[in-house]
Amino acid sequence: MEKFKENLPDIIGWTGSASVLSAYILLISKIDIDPIALDALNIYGSGAVGYICYLKKAWQPLFLNISWFIVGGVSIIRNVNNS
């Protein structure tokens, strides 16, 4: 269990990166996917990567991920209201 706790930030970072990349691949591949699902992938991914950036004190990519998190948040609110 201690090893898991030690590796948890890396797991969060990698799953976040995979989430943002998956959202982008799904978007450009023209697969019919619910826009809310894409927003959720982007929100989780940018939040997770942003968390890692914060831990590592990497401020420039943290700013980018906070911005992407906000964009995803606004988008999911619009998509939920339009459903």
Side-chain angles (χ1 to χ4, degrees):
M1 187 65 169
E2 189 64 34
K3 188 73 169 168
F4 176 76
K5 287 181 184 178
E6 183 180 312
N7 291 326
L8 188 58
D10 285 333
I11 294 167
I12 291 169
W14 281 109
T15 59
S17 294
S19 179
V20 171
L21 185 58
S22 296
Y24 182 70
I25 290 169
L26 289 167
L27 182 66
I28 64 169
S29 65
K30 307 282 192 222
I31 293 175
D32 188 26
I33 185 168
D34 184 5
I36 295 172
L38 286 176
D39 293 336
L41 286 168
N42 278 311
I43 288 170
Y44 170 74
S46 61
V49 174
Y51 170 70
I52 297 306
C53 293
Y54 174 77
L55 290 180
K56 297 188 181 273
K57 296 181 177 28
W59 306 122
Q60 295 90 346
L62 175 61
F63 173 77
L64 175 64
N65 281 286
I66 289 171
S67 301
W68 199 245
F69 185 88
I70 291 168
V71 168
V74 169
S75 181
I76 201 167
I77 290 168
R78 287 182 178 168
N79 284 323
V80 166
N81 288 336
N82 291 334
S83 295

